[in-house]
Amino acid sequence: MTSVDYIIVGQGIAGTMLSWSLWKAGKKVLVIDDAKFNSASRVAAGIINPVSGRRFEPAWMYDTIYPFARDAYQQVSDILQVPVLTERRLWNVFPSQQMYDAFMKKAGGGQYTSLPEQPEYEDILDQPYGAAIVKGATVNLRELLPAWRQFLAGMGALLETHLELSALEVTATGIRYGDIAAKKIIFCDGMATAKNPWFSKLTFLPNKGEVLMVRVPGLHTADIIKKSITLVPYGPELFWAGSSFVWDYTDDLPTGRQREVLEKSLQQLLKVPYTVETQLAAVRPSGNDRRPMIGMHPEMPAVGIFNGLGTKGCSLAPFMAAHFTEVLAGNALLMPEVDINRYFNISRG
Ligand SMILES: Cc1cc2nc3c(=O)[nH]c(=O)nc-3n(C[C@H](O)[C@H](O)[C@H](O)COP(=O)(O)OP(=O)(O)OC[C@H]3O[C@@H](n4cnc5c(N)ncnc54)[C@H](O)[C@@H]3O)c2cc1C
């Protein structure tokens, strides 16, 4: 019999940062992950963008969550010896005069944005309305996830299998799964949670994103480039180009329709030829109110969830994982905005 404090189901960015945070707090964790090839975290480019929308408004809680994330990813990087967070410029091409004007109305942007001192990418990008520079970053999910997985495996804290809900026993004293006993189980299983009957009251608004991996001869940059499509450098002349948002879909696989949409956006951005190498697709685990879904089940205190990271998994996961760790230790109350009790109509009174 293996005994642990926490079973964590799923090792996307949510399960990675929660298991890291609990492990750092001295808890014994066991991560169970079935390595779904197109989980959201395996398809995402890991962009952290401080602003969003036409008005370049700062993202929710950004001033708090970003410094926290930067520090946490640095600590993870030191332990795993892989580069995790890279701060980089986000070259934000204005799609119209209207967008440029809206940006200028806000005195050239604000804390996270500025205008370039001179034009750049003139031979490569179609940018008649110019561009703004945003202070962005990327999280190197391609190295972080396997490196943390290997670290977990090295301390006997990883089970590479699909957790079957039907084989899970929830008792008064905790959790049993085969020969594993745990005080608590926390589901970090992304969109799979939508099928979990214990959390059927949570309102997911999942959306599918598709991405192309493209080669752009002559484009050498460390910047993220964004117009209606975003390019993230992945290797010499190789870019992640995405991503679409589709709410009405039948499966989580790449489609010809979205390839057309993505290629159209690429053609509107690039003045130079490119080649498509592969196409990827995944579903974002978004909640209806765009806030994380965190907490222990109100009627089953041994069963919890850490999910709903939506489009912002990389910026939200470190802070929210640390917050949940404090809550689980009894040192804090969950922030009401992320507390799953909002779906169970339970108010704090
Ligand atoms: C195309 C696309 C682009 C994106 N780009 C960005 C971006 O640039 N920046 C950003 O911050 N966010 C981005 N996102 C959003 C981001 O990917 C998500 O917020 C984040 O990955 C969610 O992580 P998660 O760990 O909750 O879920 P997931 O990444 O889906 O992880 C769930 C894990 O659980 C495992 N699992 C599920 N069920 C079981 C089970 N029963 N047993 C065992 N294992 C199980 C799966 O194998 C998987 O490893 C993007 C999403 C998409 C789809």
Side-chain angles (χ1 to χ4, degrees):
M1 171 77 64
T2 307
S3 277
V4 296
D5 293 314
Y6 292 95
I7 294 174
I8 305 287
V9 186
Q11 196 238 328
I13 192 64
T16 294
M17 293 317 290
L18 185 61
S19 57
W20 142 264
S21 178
L22 288 167
W23 169 78
K24 208 167 74 117
K27 299 297 174 193
K28 193 165 179 201
V29 295
L30 176 71
V31 176
I32 303 181
D33 185 84
D34 61 9
K36 185 171 168 21
F37 76 99
N38 67 340
S39 70
S41 304
R42 291 185 180 92
V43 170
I47 303 163
I48 294 184
N49 184 349
V51 291
S52 58
R54 297 170 68 86
R55 294 174 168 269
F56 288 79
E57 294 294 346
W60 179 64
M61 283 188 68
Y62 193 78
D63 292 344
T64 305
I65 61 168
Y66 181 67
F68 193 95
R70 191 176 47 195
D71 184 50
Y73 286 133
Q74 187 57 53
Q75 290 177 39
V76 177
S77 171
D78 291 343
I79 286 183
L80 301 180
Q81 292 296 299
V82 292
V84 178
L85 183 113
T86 305
E87 295 193 314
R88 26 174 125 235
R89 297 194 319 175
L90 194 155
W91 185 264
N92 196 113
V93 177
F94 294 117
S96 64
Q97 184 65 38
Q98 216 183 1
M99 289 291 281
Y100 171 82
D101 293 343
F103 179 84
M104 292 310 285
K105 252 193 209 157
K106 289 202 75 183
Q111 190 184 354
Y112 301 112
T113 54
S114 59
L115 284 175
E117 280 169 15
Q118 57 201 29
E120 293 178 44
Y121 301 112
E122 283 181 297
D123 297 337
I124 304 245
L125 303 182
D126 189 21
Q127 41 185 356
Y129 310 104
I133 296 172
V134 179
K135 287 183 190 166
T138 50
V139 174
N140 182 2
L141 292 162
R142 286 173 301 157
E143 289 194 71
L144 167 61
L145 299 185
W148 179 242
R149 197 174 185 87
Q150 205 181 344
F151 189 87
L152 288 169
M155 50 183 192
L158 176 74
L159 195 57
E160 292 190 290
T161 189
H162 183 77
L163 177 125
E164 294 293 346
L165 277 183
S166 55
L168 198 64
E169 287 173 61
V170 182
T171 68
T173 49
I175 300 294
R176 269 290 172 85
Y177 187 66
D179 64 354
I180 303 160
K183 291 181 189 149
K184 290 184 166 47
I185 187 166
I186 300 184
F187 287 90
C188 303
D189 50 351
M191 273 326 300
T193 289
K195 293 193 190 127
N196 183 328
W198 296 322
F199 294 110
S200 59
K201 289 196 169 164
L202 275 53
T203 315
F204 280 93
L205 205 61
N207 60 82
K208 180 176 168 184
E210 298 200 31
V211 178
L212 301 176
M213 296 301 303
V214 295
R215 208 162 274 285
V216 188
L219 180 53
H220 299 271
T221 182
D223 291 350
I224 301 163
I225 295 174
K226 182 173 188 297
K227 198 177 177 187
S228 57
I229 191 164
T230 304
L231 300 183
V232 179
Y234 260 36
E237 300 180 338
L238 183 67
F239 295 85
W240 178 102
S243 49
S244 57
F245 278 81
V246 177
W247 277 268
D248 182 18
Y249 54 88
T250 48
D251 59 39
D252 61 3
L253 299 173
T255 60
R257 171 76 192 111
Q258 289 309 310
R259 176 164 174 161
E260 269 176 39
V261 171
L262 292 165
E263 286 217 51
K264 198 170 165 206
S265 298
L266 264 179
Q267 285 150 16
Q268 285 168 355
L269 173 66
L270 295 174
K271 286 181 180 171
V272 294
Y274 62 87
T275 50
V276 176
E277 301 224 326
T278 41
Q279 185 176 356
L280 309 166
V283 177
R284 301 176 183 88
S286 300
N288 64 327
D289 59 4
R290 298 192 193 172
R291 293 291 174 257
M293 297 165 164
I294 303 177
M296 303 309 293
H297 193 287
E299 284 148 26
M300 286 185 293
V303 179
I305 185 168
F306 184 67
N307 206 318
L309 299 180
T311 58
K312 303 223 174 272
C314 292
S315 51
L316 288 169
F319 178 87
M320 292 300 162
H323 175 52
F324 196 19
T325 301
E326 282 295 293
V327 172
L328 290 167
N331 299 331
L333 280 180
L334 262 179
M335 293 166 49
E337 299 97 313
V338 304
D339 190 339
I340 53 164
N341 277 343
R342 68 194 189 278
Y343 291 103
F344 291 90
N345 286 329
I346 297 172
S347 72
R348 293 242 170 91

